[in-house]
Amino acid sequence: HAQPCDLVIFLECPEEIMEERMAARGDRLYGVKRNMNRFKQQMLPVVKHYEEKGFLFPVAAQVGAEAVYHQVSLKLEREYRLVAEEGTAR
């Protein structure tokens, strides 16, 4: 069963950096470009929907994995601590 969603973590990264990272792991440029286009067509409307609802938490992902982990961890800790203090379940 689908559960209500009140937080969406969106990892933002410039396309050029994503292409570099994918190429470094061996992905072919054609496949990378195809996947980027598919993402833009299919996922950006979903991202916009949650942004309009105020549920989107954008994270600058070009800074590296440790910094992203730290930002996301802090957000989740804050959100779930607030929920626990309010006595409600997510």
Side-chain angles (χ1 to χ4, degrees):
H1 294 254
Q3 297 293 319
C5 177
D6 56 4
L7 177 64
V8 174
I9 297 170
F10 180 59
L11 303 178
E12 296 180 309
C13 188
E15 199 168 318
E16 302 80 32
I17 292 175
M18 285 191 281
E19 288 175 4
E20 288 173 16
R21 289 176 179 174
M22 289 180 196
R25 70 178 194 199
D27 292 3
R28 296 180 186 204
L29 187 57
Y30 171 77
V32 169
K33 297 257 186 216
R34 184 189 65 229
N35 290 339
M36 295 297 294
N37 287 332
R38 186 178 301 142
F39 174 80
K40 288 177 193 175
Q41 292 172 352
Q42 295 177 359
M43 296 306 299
L44 289 182
V46 176
V47 170
K48 184 173 176 61
H49 168 79
Y50 285 109
E51 182 178 37
E52 290 170 354
K53 289 185 163 285
F55 297 160
L56 193 71
F57 177 63
V59 175
Q62 71 269 21
V63 296
E66 285 186 34
V68 169
Y69 177 81
H70 181 71
Q71 290 180 56
V72 171
S73 295
L74 288 176
K75 177 65 173 179
L76 292 174
E77 181 181 304
R78 190 177 130 257
E79 289 292 320
Y80 285 99
R81 184 178 48 225
L82 289 174
V83 169
E85 290 171 1
E86 295 170 358
T88 58
R90 282 200 185 248

